[in-house]
Amino acid sequence: MDLQSVSYVIDTFFAIFAMTLIIFMVPGFAMLEAGLVRTKNVTAVLMVNTMIYAVASLAFLLVGYSIAFGDFGSDTMSKWAAFLFQMAFVGKVINIMSGGVSERAKVLPLALFTIIMGGFIYPTVVNWSWGSDMLAGTFLDISMYDLAGSTVIHSTGGWALLAAILIIGARRGRYPKEGGVRVIPASNIPLVTLGAFLLWIGWFGFNGGSVGSIASKESADAVALTIMNTNTAGLSGAIIVGAFMYFRYKKLDITMVLNGALGGLVAITAGPDLYDIYTPILIGAIGGTLVVFGVSFFDKLKLDDPVGALSVHLLNGIWGTLAVGIFASNGDTITFLGQLKGVAVVAVFAFVVSYVVLFLINKIAPLRAHNDEEMQGLDVEECGLEAYPEFKRAF
């Protein structure tokens, strides 16, 4: 076997292995969300996450991949491995959105939106950034550097979530008429912790696999640095949030600490291959800080997000992309203005198109469950199966 064939085999295996790690994020999102919602909505959350993986992946196979990249083709690895790696990403965009509308959104309308997001909206953003670039040569052409999707994946999902929340509204009783915010505690902290760490592990495939090759010394070093910096940003995000919560409230809230880690991981995703080993500490720390202040900020705006996805994914997707322009600008292919332009173009497209699509779906098949269904819990109404049937539920 010649050297080129060996490289082909190694990179094919690397892509499939990275794809497998990314798929671990499916149960990661499912467990995280199942732990953060009330027990009466757990089965519905698990159903939505299962549906997203199946529907989004098939939509990407049948339509989305061709929009994003053109034909199935790869010179450096099996074209099927290249497809599988890209397919693993698509569901994550919708997972971000679905978690934020948990406990009041119906399953079937979300499935309809999943088809549009997986088959058109997300592939279009990929086309502009990683793919065949239909905007090339136009004033909208973006020169944004986004290795693994701080903007392409996380902000796109975040903008779709914002559109969904504006249409669907808050959970019943979340913002009382007399003012303030009603705290709705997580139902299962062990599941939240398990889900967060599954996501953390999946991120190594998410970012490391995006380097694209591991078959040479240089590329192997790039993969290792990327994974190291990814991990560092997560550590920093967790620590800064833990410190803030303790000094501010004298309590260590594990759900906030874990979301701080996830915020750091989102923030580093745009450029983990570009930084030295110390810059991710700062990027992750700022990411964690954005999570803390973002949660209270969105509550003040009465944007109800049960899992903190707007703070983790939208804010940190933006921050992570701009951070590349701050810390890794080369004055040519990577500039702050280029990063800012990419963020803005994707923001307008993802939010506007998502809002229009969700608005139309809502007219055909209402996104929101009725008040009595929400009171009873979506497990019974949507799935006919309770996750914890032996528990006496408090409404």
Side-chain angles (χ1 to χ4, degrees), residues 219-292:
S219 59
D221 281 342
V223 170
L225 176 65
T226 295
I227 294 174
M228 180 177 177
N229 285 344
T230 298
N231 192 57
T232 298
L235 301 175
S236 179
I239 291 170
I240 197 71
V241 172
F244 179 89
M245 298 302 290
Y246 184 79
F247 286 113
R248 177 80 181 270
Y249 304 107
K250 302 301 179 185
K251 302 291 183 183
L252 291 169
D253 183 340
I254 184 63
T255 63
M256 287 299 296
V257 170
L258 291 170
N259 264 348
L262 297 178
L265 291 166
V266 172
I268 199 64
T269 293
D273 58 325
L274 301 177
Y275 306 126
D276 59 32
I277 64 173
Y278 303 108
T279 303
I281 298 173
L282 177 59
I283 292 173
I286 293 173
T289 304
L290 286 172
V291 170
V292 172

Side-chain angles (χ1 to χ4, degrees), residues 41-126:
N41 296 308
V42 170
T43 300
V45 162
L46 298 177
M47 182 64 238
V48 167
N49 277 272
T50 302
M51 172 273 298
I52 286 172
Y53 176 60
V55 174
S57 298
L58 193 57
F60 193 67
L61 168 66
L62 296 177
V63 180
Y65 188 86
S66 297
I67 293 175
F69 297 102
D71 59 0
F72 286 77
S74 176
D75 297 326
T76 61
M77 67 179 71
S78 168
K79 60 184 179 181
W80 312 125
F83 164 77
L84 286 169
F85 179 75
Q86 292 297 332
M87 183 208 73
F89 283 127
V90 62
K92 310 305 160 288
V93 183
I94 309 137
N95 285 127
I96 293 165
M97 176 258 190
S98 69
V101 293
S102 295
E103 301 205 284
R104 73 271 202 204
K106 303 180 87 170
V107 175
L108 290 181
L110 285 178
L112 292 175
F113 181 73
T114 297
I115 295 171
I116 305 300
M117 176 61 85
F120 171 69
I121 301 175
Y122 169 71
T124 300
V125 175
V126 171

Side-chain angles (χ1 to χ4, degrees), residues 349-370:
F349 174 77
F351 176 77
V352 171
V353 176
S354 294
Y355 189 93
V356 170
V357 170
L358 287 165
F359 181 84
L360 294 175
I361 290 174
N362 193 45
K363 293 296 183 181
I364 300 168
L367 287 163
R368 186 175 186 125
H370 296 298

Side-chain angles (χ1 to χ4, degrees), residues 3-20 22 65 69 71-87 89 205 207-216 219 223:
L3 188 60
Q4 185 176 1
S5 296
V6 171
S7 175
Y8 184 94
V9 171
I10 292 173
D11 284 342
T12 294
F13 176 79
F14 175 57
I16 293 173
F17 179 70
M19 169 261 187
T20 304
I22 297 170
Y65 188 86
F69 297 102
D71 59 0
F72 286 77
S74 176
D75 297 326
T76 61
M77 67 179 71
S78 168
K79 60 184 179 181
W80 312 125
F83 164 77
L84 286 169
F85 179 75
Q86 292 297 332
M87 183 208 73
F89 283 127
N207 290 0
S210 294
V211 173
S213 175
I214 200 172
S216 68
S219 59
V223 170

